[in-house]
Amino acid sequence: MSKYSIQQFIQKSKQEDKGQGLFELETERILEINLDGEIWAKMGSMISYDGSIKFVREGILEHGIGRLMKKAFTGEGSQLMKATGKGKLYVADQGKKITILDLKGESIYINGNDLLAFERKLDWDIKLMRRIAGMMAGGLFNVRLEGEGMVAFTSHYEPLTLMVYPGQPVFTDPNATVAWSGNLQPEFVTDIQIKTFFGRGSGESIQMKFSGNGFVVVQPYEEVYMEGNQG
């Protein structure tokens, strides 16, 4: 059989059932959801499905007036769709690498633009970073998830997890920060010297400072959410 035959290509790339449960990585950049019920996923992330699945855009009052007010400030970045039914659903986001977490009562913050899918039974809420919102068009927001269930998020290339210890804060670029443990509350600090030395834009001088005991996840990529300059 030829190395480049259609049969070889199909054998190498065809879908496989791995028996890993509700969420499983079909590839590093495609999430397979073995749906039997209901999940939330990022709007526009569906690339394929089989079975009987219905997709509904998140309703205006689906999550209450509190979250509606927050969404007015965060824009469309956190728009969700509800997938209901039974079958296999495949989702992806611009070829970004996917990470799955199975929460066992823990909590985690995930950048709203990096949240790909999560189980309906998880408690979640939108958190707007108010101090930085006025400095970046559309603001910078994240989603806090907590409880028992699975969540999938994305990153540009391989994510790096940095441990935060008492007395040893970790500083990150907001545009490269993907997620952090639910017990951490980041502060925003500015460093004029960095801005002056490198001669970069105003957003580059803003840093996130994580103090306490936990972890923060970063990616080797600065995802800029400025209007008209989507990363």
Side-chain angles (χ1 to χ4, degrees):
M1 186 185 297
S2 168
K3 179 179 179 181
Y4 300 109
S5 68
I6 289 178
Q7 290 81 2
Q8 282 281 26
F9 169 73
I10 292 174
Q11 184 175 344
K12 183 177 179 180
S13 63
K14 71 177 179 179
Q15 181 268 338
E16 295 181 2
D17 285 321
K18 301 174 183 177
Q20 297 173 348
L22 177 63
F23 284 9
E24 62 180 60
L25 290 178
E26 190 58 39
T27 73
E28 288 187 339
R29 304 173 195 281
I30 298 176
L31 175 68
E32 178 183 288
I33 302 174
N34 295 295
L35 186 63
D36 187 5
E38 190 173 276
I39 60 97
W40 286 104
K42 186 173 184 177
M43 192 74 187
S45 63
M46 186 276 287
I47 59 171
S48 180
Y49 72 91
D50 62 45
S52 178
I53 301 176
K54 180 181 178 182
F55 302 92
V56 179
R57 181 172 177 153
E58 179 184 14
I60 293 178
L61 294 176
E62 183 94 37
H63 306 294
I65 191 68
R67 289 180 190 165
L68 173 64
M69 293 301 292
K70 292 175 186 176
K71 288 178 70 63
F73 291 99
T74 59
E76 291 297 306
S78 63
Q79 190 66 53
L80 299 171
M81 65 179 181
K82 181 165 51 179
T84 307
K86 186 177 178 62
K88 289 186 180 297
L89 169 62
Y90 298 92
V91 296
D93 186 13
Q94 300 180 31
K96 294 162 68 177
K97 188 177 177 69
I98 299 170
T99 298
I100 299 172
L101 295 177
D102 189 3
L103 300 184
K104 300 294 186 182
E106 301 107 329
S107 61
I108 189 171
Y109 287 91
I110 298 175
N111 183 300
N113 288 282
D114 298 321
L115 182 61
L116 181 61
F118 61 94
E119 286 193 70
R120 181 176 172 82
K121 61 183 179 179
L122 287 173
D123 293 324
W124 66 279
D125 196 12
I126 295 171
K127 303 290 184 180
L128 178 64
M129 303 206 177
R130 300 182 187 282
R131 179 178 171 187
I132 200 174
M135 306 176 194
M136 302 177 69
L140 184 69
F141 65 98
N142 54 78
V143 180
R144 187 179 192 275
L145 301 108
E146 182 175 20
E148 302 271 344
M150 304 190 82
V151 58
F153 65 87
T154 60
S155 61
H156 286 276
Y157 313 106
E158 287 70 28
L160 173 66
T161 300
L162 303 170
M163 302 308 297
V164 181
Y165 300 107
Q168 299 178 37
V170 170
F171 297 84
T172 66
D173 181 331
N175 291 323
T177 306
V178 175
W180 59 92
S181 50
N183 59 309
L184 296 181
Q185 294 291 337
E187 302 174 61
F188 289 96
V189 296
T190 55
D191 192 326
I192 302 301
Q193 290 180 331
I194 289 181
K195 175 185 174 184
T196 304
F197 182 77
F198 290 105
R200 305 180 76 176
S202 60
E204 298 297 335
S205 65
I206 304 168
Q207 302 165 11
M208 297 176 76
K209 178 183 179 182
F210 294 89
S211 303
N213 196 348
F215 64 87
V216 58
V217 181
V218 294
Q219 62 184 1
Y221 184 96
E222 292 181 80
E223 202 159 9
V224 181
Y225 308 113
M226 300 292 188
E227 292 177 354
N229 185 26
Q230 294 291 324

